Amino acid sequence: MNRHHWWRDAVIYQVYVRSFLDSTGDGIGDLAGVRAGLPYLKKLGVDGIWLSPFYPSPQHDHGYDVADYCDVDPVFGDLAEFDRLVDAARRLGVKVLLDIVPNHCSSEHPWFRAALAAAPGSPERARFHFADGRGPDGTEPPNNWHAMFGGPAWTRVTEPDGRPGQWYLHMFTPEQPDWNWREPEVAAEFDRILRFWLDRGVDGFRIDVAAGLFKHPELPDSPDPEADARTRDSVNPLAWNQPEVHDVWRHWRAVCEEYTARDGRERLLVGEVSVPTAREHARYVRPDELHQAFFFDLLGAPWDADAFRKVISEAIDDIAGTGSTVTWVLNNHDQVRTVTRYGEPTPEGSGLGPARARAAALLMLALPGAAYIYQGEELGLPEVVDLPDDVLTDPIFRRTGSRARIRDGCRVPLPWSGQASPFGFTSGAEGAKPWLPQPEWFAEHATDRALADTRSFWHLYRDGLQLRAALPQLGDGSLRWLDTQPGVLAFARGDLVCAVNFGTAPVPAPFPGTPLLASGPCEAGVLPGSTAAWWIDGS
Ligand code: GLC
């Protein structure tokens, strides 16, 4: 066992800063709000937090369009407030991870503006992917790639002399030009950025689009551009998962190790890695690369025992098999929340979303490896599915005109207290409005109610986290599947057994006695439908 590596089984809480807690009354969460919320998170029992991007940005993609990597956007605070947050977290023993965005920047970034002002073929343009168009007068994009958020992956610029000119590549929105990582200056600039924040005391980084960065050197046409763009996840094999990216992660790992050698504190790199198979995924977490990479297949699995068992087994065989640990995740700021997702697919599913989401949480916390919790998950917040079109801010909506993949519904500001919006989210004067409207029913999920009700999601997460911290069987280590009837999964972690009934009817419990913890009412001998439970010998 490698228990001394804190990150191998850490539980990290994702703070979507603009929706966590607003200390200034402008309706947008901020770093001082995060600091004020730290005791709440400590009480919940997480090991660390990951802060969504708070850097200066025109906010075309809520901060994933970075104009200055080494500062704080005034909407969220300033560097002094950032330092206070890191200090406060350190005092509480909560690690702080930043979200770093190396695949692309903002079209407002000074280097991109310099590229626009410079000539084709200039060193300024070499930091991005500028290319001449095809067809008569270069009016067609250089290749047929689609952007992940709709439309072509290329935008044509007007040259400084006013003539229509070259095109630049952006795998997301036109306001997010992709960096050219084949240009050494880009790599050097990111070194500087990493060190800037490491010197300010952060414990590591969540790396956005970590399978991106390098594109096929020839930028050739894709054989199936429609397929590449069918999901929001990275699938274009010419734009993602190029072999050179691994050299970057080896280098970043070495930078982290350098800091560890100085002060003994292990830093953590966790990648947002969307690749087709668990085996490909495992290549990102080899011992000298990233410490962790989010394993999204669990999040993508339908509520079905066989589907869950397949993805869990593959992850453990392929990822843990390389000596790393699996990083489990059920929710994040890009996905429909579990309570809603698990309630949807079948007619019998309606109403079962909360029970299934609770069961999935207990399952995740019992699996070997690390886990990430997305803010509001511990409150059992459902997705807000009926936000009116005119309040939507997701660029996917703007670029596709469709609500199909939009992400605003999982980003609505958290309810903290009270019966009406803003539910304590904003400390501003009466009438201060959260940046996305909160539905009335958020009252049921407010943290003050959740803390007072021992049957709440919050208590389930807190109890699960406490047991995880106390029981050496949980966290890092191995898992042994137990035989069960169809529709039920059960596995042992040492003498602890976790079982989940994916069906709706009760089944005989796979372990005798009263559970140590269960996601719903659970007597000895029976495991009710849509319920997970943990047992331990003698409990
Ligand atoms: C990642 C982020 C997502 C963002 C995208 C582009 O997938 O999680 O929120 O829109 O990258 O940066």
Side-chain angles (χ1 to χ4, degrees), residues 61 64 104 149 172 206 208-209 272 333-334 407 411:
D61 188 20
Y64 286 97
H104 46 266
F149 290 172
F172 293 89
R206 177 265 186 190
D208 193 58
V209 194
E272 184 202 27
H333 66 295
D334 293 329
R407 302 164 294 172
R411 299 174 175 180

Side-chain angles (χ1 to χ4, degrees), residues 376-438:
E377 180 178 335
E378 82 285 12
L379 301 173
L381 268 191
E383 187 85 358
V384 182
V385 293
D386 53 0
L387 290 166
D389 285 0
D390 60 351
V391 304
L392 298 179
T393 62
D394 190 337
I396 295 181
F397 181 63
R398 183 165 40 86
R399 309 239 345 126
T400 62
S402 153
R403 297 178 64 104
R405 299 182 321 202
I406 56 166
R407 302 164 294 172
D408 294 278
C410 65
R411 299 174 175 180
V412 176
L414 288 189
W416 290 88
S417 59
Q419 296 302 317
S421 181
F423 299 111
F425 164 71
T426 164
S427 62
E430 194 102 346
K433 275 196 77 192
W435 69 276
L436 276 175
Q438 299 160 305

Side-chain angles (χ1 to χ4, degrees), residues 103-104 145-153 170-173 176 178 209 225 227-236 239-240 274 395-396 399-400 405 407:
N103 182 69
H104 46 266
W145 296 0
H146 286 299
M148 309 309 298
F149 290 172
H170 51 83
M171 293 310 295
F172 293 89
T173 69
Q176 294 165 297
D178 280 45
V209 194
D228 296 343
R230 214 163 284 148
T231 75
R232 204 196 46 242
D233 298 323
S234 321
V235 286
N236 179 344
W240 313 113
S274 303
I396 295 181
R399 309 239 345 126
T400 62
R405 299 182 321 202
R407 302 164 294 172

Side-chain angles (χ1 to χ4, degrees), residues 169 295 456 505:
L169 180 72
F295 182 70
S456 69

Side-chain angles (χ1 to χ4, degrees), residues 327-396:
T327 300
W328 307 102
V329 45
L330 291 168
N331 291 281
N332 66 31
H333 66 295
D334 293 329
Q335 304 291 339
V336 174
R337 288 184 178 275
T338 34
V339 167
T340 304
R341 209 164 70 221
Y342 294 144
E344 264 167 5
T346 58
E348 47 137 11
S350 59
L352 292 176
R356 290 171 171 179
R358 291 171 66 96
L362 224 48
L363 167 74
M364 176 175 81
L365 293 178
L367 289 172
Y372 281 67
I373 297 172
Y374 173 50
Q375 70 179 36
E377 180 178 335
E378 82 285 12
L379 301 173
L381 268 191
E383 187 85 358
V384 182
V385 293
D386 53 0
L387 290 166
D389 285 0
D390 60 351
V391 304
L392 298 179
T393 62
D394 190 337
I396 295 181

